[in-house]
Structure formats: structure tokens, C-alpha cells
Amino acid sequence: MVNRLSNEPLEPNAIVPIGKPLPNTSVIILKNEQLCRIGEIGEIHIKTPFMSKGYYRDEALTAQHFVQNPLNPEPGDLIYRTGDLGRYLPDRSIEILGRLDRQIKINGIRVELGEIERALRSHPLITQTTVVANHMTGRSQMLVCYYTASELLEPDSLRVRLSQALPGWMVPHFFVQLEEFPLGLNGKV
């Protein structure tokens, strides 16, 4: 991917597009095995003659990520499922919006949000939890933990508990205790 930056300053916290594919490479954004329209969010796939043959000694992971191209019925036309969510911009450059597996990058370090949530759920009083990355004005992404518990919990006690189980960069910056999570019609937070 290549994206030429102009001399114009970017807005603070603006998402910089990753650009357009290099020659001999296609980047395909799919939703329900259909090509996404401009602005529609889907999973990013890569097709290139320089692609790896798979994950070393892991056939299951290889089969999960190196899949038949649904846009071409010819067998063996494999594309790589990146696990990244993105969209085409009006100029057909690509913007990455996050991960399907809830893996994010904070200060260049990959963070799996589910791992933080599992560590929080090990607390005997916590009933539900979700961790999100928020873009704060003038700052990089910061982790925010929302949780429900059977009693009032102090954020500092949660921070100490998590720092014993996780590396420092995975400990949320903010903790917000809720009485209950707001749920949509489909039951998701």
C-alpha cells in the first residue's frame, strides 16, 4: 500500500488512509462475500502473486485466512483475509477502521481487547465488561473499560489487579461502572 502525504497539516487524530495497492497487488474489501461500495465497511482482503503459502505448520489457521476469492469462481484463486475492517474512500484509497477480532494498536503495540475483558471478568464481583479504544482530542488512543458489578468497585483497585495480570500498556486508562449495559435490539452492547 502507498499513500502520498501532502504538506497540508492533518486534523488532530485524523485517520490517515493507508492508500492504494502497489502494482501486482489487489486489495478487496468484502462484506458477505460481496465487493463493498465506496464508504461501505467490510473486511480487507489482499490478492498478490507474492503471497505466502500459509502459516507455518498451522493448517487450520492457513485455511481460515487464505480463502477462495468469492468474486472469481476459478478454484485456487486465493485471497488473504487480513482481519482488518476498512472502506474505500471516494478516490478508491483505503482507510482501516479497526479489527474484526477486536485487536487494536496503541502506540504501535497490538492489544487484544478480549484479553483485557477476560482478565477483568476474573474479578469475583464483575458481571459484565467491555473495553474500547477511544480517540481523545490531542492524545493517542486510550483504553476505556465499562463494567457492571454486584457492588461498587474503585477504579484504582481494578487498575492494581489488572497490572498484576497484564502488561502496563493493556491496563485501561479509565474505568466506568454502569448499572447495566445499554443493549440494541439484537442484544449487543
Side-chain angles (χ1 to χ4, degrees):
M1 302 296 295
V2 64
N3 182 29
R4 292 193 185 272
L5 298 176
S6 68
N7 290 334
E8 296 177 28
L10 296 172
E11 293 292 322
N13 297 321
I15 297 174
V16 177
I18 61 171
K20 296 181 180 178
L22 295 169
N24 294 327
T25 302
S26 297
V27 175
I28 306 163
I29 302 176
L30 300 172
K31 183 176 182 178
N32 301 323
E33 297 194 351
Q34 298 292 317
L35 189 63
C36 288
R37 296 180 307 275
I38 290 175
E40 185 178 12
I41 297 171
E43 183 179 3
I44 297 173
H45 297 70
I46 299 172
K47 179 182 166 126
T48 177
F50 312 109
M51 191 161 35
S52 161
K53 300 224 183 280
Y55 289 93
Y56 183 67
R57 294 187 180 175
D58 195 335
E59 291 178 25
L61 196 57
T62 297
Q64 180 182 351
H65 287 277
F66 293 82
V67 298
Q68 175 65 38
N69 182 352
L71 305 177
N72 182 359
E74 284 189 39
D77 183 13
L78 298 182
I79 56 177
Y80 177 71
R81 295 181 62 203
T82 66
D84 291 315
L85 289 173
R87 64 180 163 203
Y88 295 111
L89 297 175
D91 67 353
R92 300 297 286 176
S93 64
I94 295 167
E95 179 179 63
I96 292 183
L97 300 171
R99 297 274 308 163
L100 280 173
D101 57 7
R102 303 198 56 235
Q103 186 182 85
I104 61 165
K105 275 191 177 181
I106 294 185
N107 297 327
I109 300 170
R110 288 183 186 259
V111 175
E112 174 60 54
L113 298 177
E115 189 176 344
I116 302 168
E117 293 167 355
R118 279 189 295 282
L120 283 160
R121 283 193 302 271
S122 72
H123 192 291
L125 300 177
I126 288 184
T127 52
Q128 283 184 295
T129 185
T130 190
V131 177
V132 297
N134 280 355
H135 289 276
M136 304 293 194
T137 304
R139 296 181 172 183
S140 62
Q141 289 189 90
M142 302 185 93
L143 295 175
V144 180
C145 168
Y146 297 93
Y147 64 96
T148 59
S150 55
E151 343 180 322
L152 185 63
L153 296 174
E154 290 298 320
D156 286 339
S157 69
L158 293 176
R159 197 171 282 111
V160 168
R161 182 182 178 96
L162 283 179
S163 66
Q164 294 169 351
L166 299 171
W169 66 81
M170 292 178 72
V171 176
H173 297 86
F174 300 100
F175 292 85
V176 180
Q177 186 166 350
L178 302 171
E179 289 198 23
E180 61 183 38
F181 281 169
L183 302 178
L185 293 175
N186 61 3
K188 292 184 180 179
V189 174

